[in-house]
């Protein structure tokens, strides 16, 4: 079904090929997981299969790619759409219409099919993806998992034999991830679709695939059937922590009986109390809608609780700090939401208003050195990589020397290497006596890095677990 | 958003979006052309009727009420201050702020307003509110996707319909993103209403740069879904007028005729 | 990103690619948001002096100039204006404002055609900003307000004009700055 023969690809303005001499074949009806470290060429491989590369993203391509026995060279992406369907990471960035059924019809409309044929295909696609009941819903009102299923339904309506998915669950919560993977399994088993999937959530996807292809540095490192694949080889888990877990004595942050109601009357939090110690790492976990983010925003002072209080104590004097907001740093899920300047050094300096110019310069240099970005100080942040932008956001928060750092959903949309780098960095800061709060739905990350894990459900405090090393 | 679509089964909801769009255009044109105060009040009353047939939710009613008050206050006050009759007739002035009022009076030397101006402004309120009523009726009773289909069926190019749909699709997404950006600015204590220009740039630049990142992915996704500017697309959603629409068009004809005759009479063309 | 045969859209002067179409649409979505937010705050600050200029000139100006600087094709301003005003103004109950935005879009496109590459210099964009500011205040007083029967003496227009231009110039330059960055981030 898919054959790659000695394929090498070099992006424009690059000197090292991202794929070099890649040869592989995937049979019709197979479900294949493509795995490998960041930058190994997984996404490039996906985009080669439906012609995005080299038609829309240009570069130097050698070797041959055949789909269904026919070479695809010279074919445009839109011509390949009926053979290869492509699902991207961010579910929002691939849906164009206002309602589910209109979006599923988008592809067939582009193909110029008759109205009756489009209606038939849309109906079929909605049924096979389990979206019939939400067909007239607005896309904006869907969950992440439903949006990704809508994207898959939109492709199914164009009847391609192959589905290529580039990290389709990276932006989804555990429920959404489960739904998408089960749908892919069904399409594979019942409709015989050939599926090529790039995915980091190895434990979730591995039971459903037939083969695992591992790429390394643009080359085929291994190609094994699922049965002989060792999951721990693909996902070694988080590396062991170098530092001790024990926090310093003395409460720095005290939450007392926090309640929060949205303006429409629905309650988000009910009676949350928590005492956080200096140098402690706390994880707050829970499903979407459990109130984790609302709680973190109340702690930061971005929202006022409808009842209850938040008190921050000075770590040295122990006195209450009246204006806590400046002493609590908040790292948003997407670093791009908090980067506002057109130069890296200005981005750091912006938070230092009121300091003397020489102090601003000194602190900016120190902060950039700390995150290894000093060499880019004159650059526009949007020219940096995602990992570098994440570090810039961290530096811009840390330069104000906060006592507590809240990190909102660090795993969403992040690849493993960047996530590890961020977590290790936070760990270093914690060792310097800073308090860290991680808001996440990734249990593994929470239990690995936190001293205490707090579980919220429907805005209520469900349980608190003290992690082993600290108990 | 001031007015947002509310799903209901009223007769207004069942009307073809084209009928309602044409009615909005008709009211807009009539409201601009009318001069006679009685006819303006009549137009306002007529524009209110379709709106009353929709079961307007309480919060929308409150919004509408506030809008009415704001429009009335703005129009009456501005015209009381600035109205000058074209025929040069004399105006009756009264003090809005007498010169002996502390601060404002001393600063301005007193503010005079004209009674005729206030009355003139009051009449113009009905002109503005007639359009607001009709616009609210259209938006409250028609989902935006149907509205765009209506515009396409009235001759708007397919590419333009695609652009409008894409824009509408991303309004709530970008609105949420903008709120997050504003929260991030607040979290970093770099929000200052005293520096509106800086604040505008700092809040809009991350939004726009993120929009471009989205566009990069959307363009790839569009091509992957066979989107082609050169090829005609099938329009799967179509509209059909029903009997109620025909009735509405007849009624519109009668209303246009009524205002045409009324205007001609008030201008002295008809005895 | 480029499609092989790009189709002229409205102007017939430049061809729009799929990417251009999507960029203008999403800028249109941003325009709808600032249009809505501007109108809500305008209602609240209607009687204050500077509010309307910031909300109707400065903020929408940044977005429209960022859009044209990103796409760099005549026709992008009018398309943007059509999308932003065509949706936002009826949603706010003021469709009468649609021509206000369309005239501004047309004039920016006109300036782009007239100035050609000089439009992208700081002075070219400033000049376009001045035209944008003058057109906005002219349309406000002599079309929107006049059509609604609201009269203002000429001196109010004369006083508002420099204030509006003073908001339009930074809008155009900030828009150009953001648009240049955005164009750099766009896959071409």
């Amino acid at each position: 079904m898919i054959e790659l023969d000695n394929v090498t690809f070099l992006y424009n303005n690059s000197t090292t090929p991202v794929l070099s001499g890649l040869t592989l074949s995937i049979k019709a009806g197979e479900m294949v997981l493509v795995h490998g470290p960041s930058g190994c060429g997984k996404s490039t491989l996906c985009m080669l299969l439906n012609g995005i590369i080299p038609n829309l993203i240009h570069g130097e391509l050698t070797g041959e790619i055949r789909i269904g026995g026919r070479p695809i060279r010279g074919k445009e992406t839109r011509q390949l759409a009926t053979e290869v369907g492509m699902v991207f990471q961010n579910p929002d960035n691939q849906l164009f219409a206002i309602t589910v059924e209109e979006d599923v019809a988008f592809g067939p409309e582009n193909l110029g099919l008759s109205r009756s044929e489009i209606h038939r295909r849309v109906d079929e696609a909605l049924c096979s993806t389990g979206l019939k009941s939400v067909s007239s819903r607005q896309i904006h009102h869907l969950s992440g998992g439903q949006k990704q299923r809508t994207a898959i339904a939109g492709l199914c309506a164009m009847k391609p034999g192959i589905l290529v998915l580039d990290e389709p669950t990276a932006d989804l919560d555990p429920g959404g991830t489960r739904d998408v993977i089960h749908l892919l399994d069904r399409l594979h088993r019942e409709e015989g679709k050939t599926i090529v999937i790039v995915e980091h959530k190895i434990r979730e996807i591995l039971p459903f695939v037939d083969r695992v292809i591992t790429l390394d540095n643009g080359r085929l490192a291994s190609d094994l059937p699922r049965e002989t694949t060792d999951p721990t080889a693909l996902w070694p888990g988080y590396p062991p922590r170098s530092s001790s877990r024990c926090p310093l004595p003395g409460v720095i942050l005290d939450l007392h009986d926090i309640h929060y109601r949205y303006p429409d009357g629905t309650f988000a939090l009910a009676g949350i109390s928590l005492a956080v110690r200096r140098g402690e790492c706390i994880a707050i976990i829970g499903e979407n809608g459990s109130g984790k983010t609302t709680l973190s925003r109340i702690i930061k002072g971005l929202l006022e609780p409808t009842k209850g209080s938040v008190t921050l104590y000075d770590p040295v004097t122990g006195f209450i700090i009246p204006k806590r907001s400046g002493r609590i740093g908040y790292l948003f899920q997407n670093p791009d939401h908090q980067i506002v300047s057109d130069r890296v050094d200005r981005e750091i300096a912006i938070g230092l208003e009121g300091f003397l110019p020489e102090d601003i310069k000194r602190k900016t240099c120190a902060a950039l050195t700390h995150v290894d970005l000093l060499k880019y100080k004159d650059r526009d942040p949007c020219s940096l990589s995602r990992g570098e932008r994440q570090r810039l956001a961290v530096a811009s928060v840390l330069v104000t020397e906060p006592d507590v750092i809240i990190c909102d959903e660090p795993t969403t949309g992040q690849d493993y290497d960047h996530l590890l780098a961020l977590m290790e960095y936070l760990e270093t800061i914690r060792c310097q006596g800073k308090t860290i709060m991680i808001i996440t739905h990734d249990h593994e990350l929470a239990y690995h890095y936190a001293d205490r894990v707090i579980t919220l459900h429907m805005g209520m405090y469900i349980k608190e677990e003290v992690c082993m090393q600290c108990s | 958003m001031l007015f947002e679509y509310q799903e209901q089964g009223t007769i207004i909801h069942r009307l073809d979006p084209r009928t309602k769009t044409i009615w909005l255009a008709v009211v807009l044109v009539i409201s601009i052309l009318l001069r006679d105060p009685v006819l303006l009040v009549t137009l306002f009353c007529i524009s209110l009727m379709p709106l009353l047939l929709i079961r307007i939710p309480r919060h929308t009613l409150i919004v509408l009420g506030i809008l009415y008050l704001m429009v009335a206050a703005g129009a009456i006050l501005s015209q009381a201050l600035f109205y000058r009759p074209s025929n040069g007739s004399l105006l009756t002035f009264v003090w809005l702020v007498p010169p002996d009022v502390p601060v404002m009076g001393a600063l301005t030397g007193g503010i005079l307003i004209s009674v005729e101006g206030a009355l003139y402004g009051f009449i113009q309120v009905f002109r503005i509110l007639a359009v607001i009523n009709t616009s609210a009726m259209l938006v409250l009773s028609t989902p935006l996707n149907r509205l765009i289909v209506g515009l396409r069926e009235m001759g708007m190019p397919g590419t333009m319909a695609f652009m409008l749909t894409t824009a509408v699709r991303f309004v709530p997404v970008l609105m949420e993103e903008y709120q997050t950006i504003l929260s991030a600015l607040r979290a970093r204590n770099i929000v200052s209403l005293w520096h509106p220009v800086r604040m505008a740039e700092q809040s809009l630049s991350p939004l726009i740069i993120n929009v471009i990142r989205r566009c990069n992915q959307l363009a790839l996704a569009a091509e992957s879904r066979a989107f082609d500017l050169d090829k005609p697309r099938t329009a799967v959603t179509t509209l059909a007028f029903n009997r109620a629409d025909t009735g509405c068009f007849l009624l519109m004809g009668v209303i246009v005729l009524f205002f045409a005759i009324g205007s001609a009479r008030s201008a002295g063309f008809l005895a | 990103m480029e499609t092989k045969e790009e189709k002229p859209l409205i102007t017939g002067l430049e061809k729009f690619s799929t990417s251009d179409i999507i960029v203008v649409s999403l800028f249109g979505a941003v325009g709808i948001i600032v249009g809505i937010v501007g109108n809500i705050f305008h209602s609240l600050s209607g009687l204050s002096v500077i509010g309307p200029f910031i909300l109707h000139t400065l903020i929408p100006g940044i977005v429209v100039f960022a859009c044209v600087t990103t796409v760099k094709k005549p026709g992008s301003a009018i398309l943007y204006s059509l999308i932003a005003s065509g949706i936002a103004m009826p949603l706010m109950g003021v469709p009468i404002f649609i021509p206000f935005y369309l005239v501004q879009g047309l004039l920016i496109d006109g300036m782009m055609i007239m100035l050609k590459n000089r439009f992208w210099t700081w002075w070219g964009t400033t000049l376009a900003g001045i035209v944008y500011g003058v057109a906005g205040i002219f349309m406000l007083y002599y079309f929107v307000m006049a059509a609604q029967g609201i009269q203002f003496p000429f001196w109010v227009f004369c006083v508002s004009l420099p204030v509006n231009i003073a908001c339009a110039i930074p809008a155009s330059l900030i828009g150009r700055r953001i648009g240049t960055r955005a164009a750099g981030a766009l896959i071409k």
Side-chain angles (χ1 to χ4, degrees):
Chain A
M1 190 75 175
I2 302 171
E3 289 160 287
L4 272 80
D5 191 3
N6 201 21
V7 171
T8 298
F9 182 74
L10 183 77
Y11 281 106
N12 282 348
N13 309 320
S14 169
T15 48
T16 341
V18 66
L19 291 178
S20 49
L22 187 65
T23 300
L24 60 89
S25 81
I26 295 167
K27 289 199 282 280
E30 265 190 317
M31 184 161 170
V32 177
L33 169 67
V34 181
H35 180 261
S38 260
C40 70
K42 305 183 294 284
S43 293
T44 306
L45 172 63
C46 290
M47 290 192 284
L48 274 170
L49 297 180
N50 81 333
I52 286 177
I53 291 176
N55 290 317
L56 305 169
I57 296 176
H58 308 290
E60 196 182 304
L61 175 68
T62 55
E64 191 165 78
I65 304 160
R66 287 183 294 274
I67 303 282
R70 290 184 301 275
I72 62 166
R73 188 175 284 268
K75 279 194 183 178
E76 285 189 41
T77 304
R78 56 175 80 109
Q79 289 173 308
L80 286 166
T82 50
E83 295 176 62
V84 183
M86 174 93 176
V87 179
F88 299 85
Q89 178 180 322
N90 185 326
D92 261 323
N93 294 352
Q94 49 195 320
L95 304 174
F96 294 87
I98 297 167
T99 65
V100 172
E101 58 186 341
E102 283 170 356
D103 195 84
V104 176
F106 177 76
E109 282 181 320
N110 292 335
L111 295 175
L113 302 173
S114 69
R115 282 193 185 122
S116 57
E117 175 65 10
I118 294 175
H119 282 301
R120 200 180 57 75
R121 285 189 179 203
V122 169
D123 214 44
E124 258 178 39
L126 288 172
C127 287
S128 71
T129 49
L131 290 167
K132 191 78 185 155
S133 59
V134 292
S135 62
S136 56
R137 285 266 291 276
Q138 286 195 15
I139 285 170
H140 179 64
H141 295 146
L142 302 181
S143 68
Q146 285 173 320
K147 283 181 192 168
Q148 203 59 292
R149 279 157 59 202
T150 305
I152 296 170
L155 297 179
C156 289
M158 296 173 81
K159 296 198 175 290
I162 302 165
L163 289 180
V164 180
L165 304 100
D166 189 3
E167 298 200 41
T169 70
D171 287 2
L172 307 184
D173 64 0
T177 301
R178 221 170 21 243
D179 289 350
V180 168
I181 291 175
H182 284 155
L183 169 62
L184 292 175
D185 177 51
R186 225 181 52 67
L187 292 173
H188 167 232
R189 278 186 296 104
E190 292 175 16
E191 297 185 19
K193 299 269 188 217
T194 306
I195 294 175
V196 179
I197 181 167
V198 172
E199 186 56 76
H200 279 293
K201 295 177 182 168
I202 302 297
R203 250 180 246 149
E204 288 85 345
I205 190 76
L206 198 61
F208 300 99
V209 300
D210 301 314
R211 262 167 76 191
V212 179
I213 289 173
T214 306
L215 297 182
D216 192 15
N217 244 333
R219 292 171 194 279
L220 189 66
S222 70
D223 182 354
L224 298 167
R226 188 234 311 162
E227 293 77 16
T228 57
T229 305
D230 174 16
T232 53
L234 300 178
W235 170 243
Y238 294 103
R241 289 172 25 150
S242 48
S243 54
S244 72
R245 278 178 185 260
C246 293
L248 303 165
V251 169
I252 190 166
L253 184 69
D254 189 19
L255 276 66
H256 176 69
D257 196 26
I258 300 285
H259 286 71
Y260 185 78
R261 265 180 194 278
Y262 290 116
D264 67 1
T266 50
F267 86 94
L269 294 170
I272 306 288
S273 294
L274 182 67
V276 185
R277 283 175 290 168
R278 187 179 163 211
E280 192 175 20
C281 179
I282 283 207
I284 299 174
I285 60 172
E287 292 280 311
N288 278 358
S290 58
K292 329 185 273 299
T293 299
T294 308
L295 181 63
S296 67
R297 292 191 176 196
I298 286 174
I299 295 171
K300 168 67 190 169
L302 294 172
L303 294 174
E304 274 304 311
T306 37
K307 190 184 156 201
S309 61
V310 181
T311 315
L312 182 71
Y313 298 95
D314 189 289
V316 181
T317 61
F319 293 151
I320 292 174
I321 298 169
K323 279 192 171 180
R324 70 176 183 278
S325 180
R327 305 283 288 267
I328 298 176
Y330 198 108
L331 272 173
F332 282 74
Q333 190 176 316
N334 183 348
D336 298 327
H337 288 153
Q338 61 188 92
I339 295 176
V340 297
S341 297
D342 57 358
R343 256 174 65 144
V344 167
D345 53 356
R346 279 190 210 131
E347 183 61 31
I348 303 293
I350 213 167
L352 296 171
E353 213 162 74
F355 283 87
L356 292 170
E358 53 268 33
D359 282 344
I360 294 178
K361 207 170 171 189
R362 187 176 47 78
K363 281 173 180 273
T364 303
C365 278
L368 287 175
T369 310
H370 215 63
V371 291
D372 197 22
L373 287 177
L374 192 63
K375 54 185 180 285
Y376 300 138
K377 71 181 170 63
D378 301 327
R379 290 255 300 261
D380 183 340
C382 70
S383 68
L384 304 179
S385 69
R386 161 98 190 203
E388 288 162 344
R389 295 201 301 274
Q390 177 74 268
R391 271 154 44 207
L392 178 61
V394 173
S396 69
V397 167
L398 290 179
V399 77
T400 59
E401 296 175 16
D403 300 316
V404 179
I405 294 140
I406 300 171
C407 191
D408 190 4
E409 299 285 9
T411 56
T412 305
Q414 278 277 45
D415 70 27
Y416 176 68
D417 298 336
H418 291 146
L419 176 62
L420 276 193
L422 174 67
M423 294 315 297
E424 285 306 310
Y425 191 68
L426 290 176
E427 184 63 13
T428 321
I429 298 161
R430 192 189 67 80
C431 290
Q432 293 162 2
K434 305 281 184 198
T435 304
I436 312 281
M437 289 188 87
I438 303 169
I439 314 298
T440 183
H441 43 58
D442 184 333
H443 290 217
E444 192 179 346
L445 177 113
Y447 286 100
H448 187 81
Y449 284 99
D451 303 312
R452 267 191 297 161
V453 177
I454 314 290
T455 308
L456 295 186
H457 180 68
M458 307 274 284
M460 280 183 283
Y461 195 91
I462 290 296
K463 63 176 175 185
E464 176 179 328
E465 289 158 276
V466 178
C467 296
M468 288 304 283
Q469 284 105 314
C470 204
S471 54
Chain B
M1 244 165 261
L2 281 193
F3 306 121
E4 214 169 353
Y5 171 67
Q6 305 288 330
E7 202 170 332
Q8 287 170 14
T10 70
I11 181 162
I12 302 295
H13 282 74
R14 287 196 300 273
L15 287 176
D16 190 297
R18 288 169 293 182
T19 311
K20 291 182 268 190
T21 309
I22 291 168
W23 173 233
L24 174 62
V26 167
V27 172
L28 191 61
V29 173
I30 296 177
S31 76
I32 293 171
L33 296 177
L34 282 186
R35 290 284 164 264
D36 186 75
V38 178
L39 291 179
L40 276 174
V41 176
T42 314
L43 179 68
F44 167 77
C45 295
I46 293 174
S47 73
L48 205 55
M49 283 173 195
L51 192 60
L52 293 176
L53 288 173
I54 303 171
R55 289 185 293 276
I56 307 172
R58 200 166 154 264
H59 69 270
T60 310
L61 269 178
I62 295 169
V63 166
L64 206 58
I66 294 170
L67 200 59
Y68 269 36
L69 285 175
M70 299 301 295
V71 167
I76 294 169
L77 189 64
S78 70
Q79 294 314 283
L81 283 167
F82 298 127
Y83 173 72
R84 297 290 176 271
S86 51
N87 57 11
S89 59
L90 290 175
L91 299 172
T92 320
F93 284 100
V94 291
W95 290 109
L96 177 68
V97 180
D100 52 356
V101 168
V103 191
M104 273 295 280
L107 274 176
T108 57
I111 300 172
L112 275 172
I113 54 168
S114 72
V115 176
E116 290 81 358
L119 195 65
Y120 173 82
F122 177 70
I123 297 300
Q124 305 316 310
V125 170
F126 292 99
R127 189 194 302 276
I128 303 168
L129 293 184
V131 179
I132 290 180
N133 287 343
T134 314
S135 215
M137 175 278 295
L138 173 70
V139 178
L140 285 167
S141 67
T142 322
L144 284 171
N145 52 338
R146 300 249 315 154
L147 200 58
I148 295 167
V149 172
L151 292 171
R152 195 194 62 218
E153 299 235 327
M154 283 158 75
M156 186 173 70
T159 308
M160 194 64 221
F162 167 75
M163 293 174 84
L164 280 176
T165 307
T166 308
V168 170
R169 147 92 181 94
F170 279 95
V171 166
V173 178
L174 297 183
M175 193 84 108
E176 242 171 46
E177 189 158 341
Y178 195 47
Q179 280 165 354
T180 310
I181 289 167
L182 291 177
S183 293
L185 288 177
R186 279 178 57 212
R188 294 182 63 194
N189 295 321
I190 50 177
V191 176
S192 170
L193 291 174
W194 297 110
H195 298 100
V197 176
R198 199 174 69 184
M199 163 103 183
E201 181 171 8
Q202 284 175 345
S203 63
L204 284 174
S205 64
L207 181 71
I208 289 172
I209 300 295
N210 281 335
V211 155
I212 295 300
R213 292 202 179 99
R214 269 185 205 283
C215 289
N216 286 334
Q217 294 171 29
L218 277 165
L220 297 181
E223 298 265 351
S224 304
R225 295 178 72 184
F227 181 72
D228 191 346
L229 281 171
D230 294 339
K231 271 192 183 168
R233 302 178 67 221
T234 312
V236 74
T237 316
T238 51
L239 300 170
F241 288 118
N242 58 32
R243 263 195 214 159
D245 293 299
T246 317
C248 283
F249 280 117
L250 284 173
L251 208 57
M252 271 188 243
V254 173
I255 290 168
V256 170
L257 205 64
F258 167 77
F259 283 111
I261 295 170
S263 294
R265 278 176 69 101
S266 69
F269 292 119
L270 293 174
Chain C
M1 207 158 311
E2 290 156 4
T3 48
K4 283 210 168 158
E5 288 172 71
E6 294 168 345
K7 191 181 179 181
L9 196 68
I10 285 183
T11 61
L13 295 166
E14 293 270 349
K15 293 172 178 181
F16 279 70
S17 65
T18 305
S19 176
D20 294 331
I21 291 290
I22 288 170
V23 170
V24 177
S25 306
L26 262 70
F27 268 105
V30 178
I32 293 170
I33 293 170
V34 299
I36 291 169
V37 173
N39 263 287
I40 291 172
F41 282 97
H42 185 175
S43 302
L44 298 174
S45 68
L47 300 176
S48 76
V49 182
I50 199 79
F53 298 106
I54 291 169
L55 298 166
H56 286 300
T57 301
L58 178 75
I59 297 174
I62 293 175
V63 183
V64 69
F65 277 95
C67 175
V68 296
T69 313
T70 310
V71 178
K72 281 202 165 75
K73 286 177 186 171
S76 49
I78 187 71
L79 282 172
Y80 161 85
S81 308
L82 262 170
I83 297 168
S85 64
I87 299 291
M89 296 305 121
L91 283 177
M92 304 305 297
V94 283
I96 190 86
F97 266 91
I98 294 175
F100 167 96
Y101 286 96
L102 294 189
V103 167
Q104 287 184 327
L106 266 177
L107 287 172
I108 293 174
D109 280 336
M111 293 292 288
M112 228 186 290
I113 295 165
M114 220 167 66
L115 294 175
K116 298 196 173 75
N117 278 338
R118 283 165 297 187
F119 186 95
W120 313 113
T121 61
W122 72 266
W123 65 265
T125 311
T126 306
L127 198 61
I130 294 170
V131 171
Y132 166 81
V134 174
I137 209 75
F138 180 84
M139 284 299 287
L140 181 70
Y141 286 125
Y142 296 105
F143 178 78
V144 176
M145 291 301 171
Q148 292 179 332
I150 304 293
Q151 298 179 7
F152 282 99
F154 184 63
W155 68 263
V156 174
F157 171 75
C158 292
V159 170
S160 307
L161 188 63
V163 182
N164 208 45
I165 292 174
C167 285
I169 293 174
S172 62
L173 293 174
I174 293 171
R176 174 175 171 265
R177 189 157 66 215
I178 299 177
T180 308
R181 294 177 65 206
L186 190 68
I187 300 174
K188 287 269 183 192

